[in-house]
Amino acid sequence: MPLPAWAGPRGPVLSTLDPWQVRRAVLHFIRELLSANAQSCSAWDVVGYIFSEFSQSSSRRAAGLLSAQEAQEEGALQGLCMDVLGSLDISVRGMAKLLWPRLLIYVMPAKYTGMLIPLSRCLRALAERNELTAGHEHHELDPDVLNALLQDTTLTPHNLLARLLVVAGSPFAGSDLQAAALLVLQSLHSRIHGAVGATWNSEIPLLLQYLQGGKGNIPDAAEWERRLLQFLRASLETIGDDAWIKRLSCALSQRLDSSPSSSGEKAFLYKALGTTLGACQELPHVQENLLHHLMRAQPEEPSEAQGIIALVCQAADSHFRLALETLTTFAATSSSVRGLRVSRGRKTTQASRRAEATCRAVMLAHSSMALRASKEQLLAHVEADIAGNILLLSISSSQNLQTNLALAQSILEVGCAIHAAGNLGSFHPVLKHKLLLILQNLMKTTLWDFPAASLHLKVILALEQWSKLEISFSSKEICSLLSDCCRAILPLPSAAEQTGEIRNAEQAVLQLQSLHMATKALGRLMAVLLKAKPSPVDLVDIAEVLWFWLSSDKPWVCKKALQVCAQLLEDCRDGVAFQTRGAYLPFGALAGLLGPLTCEPTSSSRQLAAACLSSLLHIQAKATNRLLETDDPASLCEGLSARSDASQQLQTSIRIAEVVCKNVPKEQAADFMNAILGPFRHSRGSRVRAAGNWMLTFLETCGKDIGPDVRGIVSALHTCTESMLEPSFVYFVHHAVLILARHHRELTINVILEKFVPLDRNTLELWRTLGRASIGLGVLKRLARKLKKVGDDSSQPSSPSRRLHAHQPSPESLTVTRAISEMVSVQSKEGVQSLLPSLLPGLLLQLSKALGEEMLSAPLSPWRGHAEDQRQEGNVCRPFCKTLMAVLSKCAEKSWLTPFWRQKMSALLESPRTYAEGMCLLTSVLLRAQLISRELIEIFSQWLRYPSANLQLTAMAFFAELMKEPPLEKRNVLKTLRVLAEKAQHRSSTIRQLAARALGNAAGSMPVEVRKHGRQVVQVLQQSLADTACPEVVAESMLALAELVRVLQAVNLGSAFEDIARATKMFFESEEEYLRYSALRLYSVLASSASSKRSFFAGEVAETWVSLFLHLRDPDFAVASMCKITFSLCAPFMGLRRPQDIISLCERLGAQELQDALCTYLARNAPPMLERLRAVASRGFLENGQRLHPSTFEILAFQGPSSTEDTRAWRRQTRP
């Protein structure tokens, strides 16, 4: 009805006013008017005007053409309309007649939806006054209102119920509108159906109570929808009229057909229609409606696809078989499904997209029905009608992401249904195997991209469900399946990278949520497989699958792997899988793998690792039926948080390590160590440092109890040093070996010597580390003992058939020697001195062995201390000599072992030709440094009787020098002398020479002891004078006899004195200088000791003075010097009148002058002697036939003095 003229927009009074002010004024006027007298408004439809104003404002705002101020004004007008209608007082006279049933006209149109709130208040107030009863019929109505009601065919009970249900179920209406719709329903229950009054009066208040969110809780949309549909189902059961229900389904169907796909009410309409069809017992009508909406739906729209799934499932609650047959018929006959076989190379058309979407929806409808089916229904249809159809649909559809997502969801839901109903043993194993293979292939082939995270999540959830059933996969197939899952999920980019790639923030959040859920689901899947009875896999298999990912150097990959592991161990925390089945728990390997991860860069990863270790400890405690006696690592997680600094985090990690290591079974020590060494080979930074700390903590805690595994552990440590990415952390390995050596010294050293070759920088540092430790001396002692045992063939006699050149040292001997050198370099002087009796013999043993038997036939230089340096490059003995010098440098004072003497000694010892000389020099240094102990003497004394000639030679060289200042007890002197005398007859010329030297030195240093056995010693040395094949031995024997004759004197020698004198003169003309020197030296001692044998010796001198005279000018200076001394001592035995004159000449003149002076003297005082001299010199032979030395021929032209002038010259020279 039009407004009065004064209120119109062109009225004379208000035409110049603001239109919004006019509209507000009219609404305020209506409020005042209705509150005064409703009957006066019967001629003017004020109620219609209020709704019209509301509708106009809604339309203007929806158009979006208003400014912000105008939109605000229109909103205020809408609020005013609702306030006017809501404030009506039903008790005012004529108000009920004005409102009822006029308000019904405004219930149905969607444009008046916002007015349902005040409208519900009015209807409720009318209902309370019984104004809506049957007594107020059409004859009391306003004719205009009655005409409008008769013309409006939508105001049927079915349409009213459908309309109000849609508003109540709309997720976008808001709780106030939803409550208003329910209140309108409650107010109109008698107008809708007479049977629902009691039901609605009890059910609607409950719905309103839930909607209001009691106790501050916000109602859940899904739960609200479920309650509302349950209310509808209960209402239809109460009505029980198929014809009425059928008309309601038609009303809902019509509303569904007319609703746009984008509307929020359509999803609920599908469910409401499905519920209504489920209550309808007219099956053809139900099937017809289902097919109608399946055909009309647009499944390419996700909301439409979900709608038809909900429609079928709601109907299937009461008509399962019919709904399944309808769905199967639709899938088989629909042109969309028949058009699915589109060539993948062709461009996808709209029809094919719709066909694929239909296929996806039908697959999901099948699985959703399985979830809602009873056990009996599932038993009858799950295999052929549900799972079989899903497989057929998946084969006939193109493989794209959305289809794969639907397929995974379908298989997941079928698995959930079977598991909920109970394990269906009758399910065909081949079909089950096919479903699992499909899931595995989906995990393999799908690229990660949004929303692929949802696909992987669904695949893993499906695998989890199907794994709860009896699956037919072998252990290898399951490990392959799990590996595929890990490869699909764990190596994905970090959260920051994914967020950057996905521009939509909401999608990025969903992506990360799906990824997190997928990792948790993967952990649950592994736990399900582990708990299955019987399970084809155990925790060892699963740990091997996770090993690679937990060891990843990418923090985000490691974090996701830790999430999987944490979920797995959390689900197995009850220990049932290990308690009842007796499954092996790889505690050591897992603890070693997870421990270093407590120092990961991200706090979440650190805490996840601690949680894993906590669960592992609980699993072990349950599996072994004991209580957890140590602290729970989970309680220490606070120390691993981002709030803690790096040092606190490290200390917390070490505390966790102490807890865990106490629980590592002894038999799994090697597993723990192999796992903990992984980061050394493959990681860097904090993880390696953490692994090192865990390793040291474990060895400190359990090192003494892991004897059987020491060899393997040390070998693994060596392998680790060869492949470390960061060699700077090798000190952890060194300290680990040190700890093992403390508990298992002998075994550890043996393995080090065996495995830690070649001797690189790290290995040398390892030996230095051992040397610095408190066990350093013990390790060094064992190395010395080891060195003596390495290739020790000293108990075997030297074979003449053995080659004389040097032997190649064994690798082990070189390794031990170098190790000793490194350890000695960091030891104290006192420590090395205490081990000298162990170190020195071992080094000399290896040195003498390396030199071979050539040293046995290499004579010493008779000129003591004048051996030539014969050092050669690449000498095999050099490592032993260097170590020996290192030992001596540490023990002796620098003044006793200068670099010159150290170098000279090393050069002598390296050569087999000078080894004996070097050994003598070494002994001399040891004597001066007072380093020769009783133990050392005892060792060399034993070597004197060893079958090895090389060791005998070494010992002889030692004693040859030692006899100069022997620190021997008297009871050992005689025994030593006897041994030395025996060695003077050894087959080795060098040993015989050393024996002679030793006896000579003994005579000089121990005259009293030598006198007691002097004759025996002299006899041995006399025999050596006949050894003309070895002139060095003869020379050394004559020097030794010189010492013995000096000590014993001629009176104690008896006839030996004469034999010695006769033998000695035979060497005056020898070509070897050292022989001439030694003979002259011995002859001089004989001359000085011949007082008791004067007559004999005078006869000897009468024969030898010519040789002595001639050798005064010997080309060798030493020989000439010694000859001069000898000639001087023999002068008293020449029978001259004034021998003192000759002695004086010898003291004052040089060789040539002395010879000239002597010739002059003989010419004057003993011409026959001079003639004899000239005769011998002229023929070149002595009277005994011995040929003169070639150097004496220089005086053949000598004629001697014959004039008075020469005589005068002689007198002048001899004058004192």
Side-chain angles (χ1 to χ4, degrees), residues 810-826:
S810 66
E812 187 176 6
S813 66
L814 293 173
T815 302
V816 176
T817 301
R818 189 63 186 275
I820 290 174
S821 177
E822 296 302 320
M823 294 195 69
V824 164
S825 67
V826 296

Side-chain angles (χ1 to χ4, degrees), residues 6-77:
W6 57 266
R10 298 180 183 273
V13 180
L14 304 175
S15 59
T16 61
L17 297 179
D18 184 353
W20 280 292
Q21 292 180 354
V22 173
R23 293 165 66 190
R24 282 197 301 271
V26 172
L27 289 172
H28 283 295
F29 170 75
I30 291 174
R31 174 188 289 174
E32 296 295 330
L33 184 63
L34 290 175
S35 62
N37 187 2
Q39 288 182 343
S40 62
C41 298
S42 58
W44 173 36
D45 186 8
V46 292
V47 176
Y49 179 79
I50 296 172
F51 279 95
S52 177
E53 278 294 313
F54 182 87
S55 176
Q56 290 178 22
S57 295
S58 299
S59 299
R60 292 192 186 99
R61 295 183 68 186
L65 301 177
L66 301 178
S67 63
Q69 183 177 359
E70 290 172 340
Q72 184 178 2
E73 291 287 348
E74 294 292 349
L77 282 174

Side-chain angles (χ1 to χ4, degrees), residues 65 157 277 338 528 608 753 840 873 900 922 967 1082 1102 1141 1202:
L65 301 177
L277 292 176
R338 286 198 304 270
V528 169
L608 281 169
L753 293 173
L840 187 62
E873 292 298 325
F900 169 78
L922 169 63
L1082 175 56
D1141 293 342
S1202 57

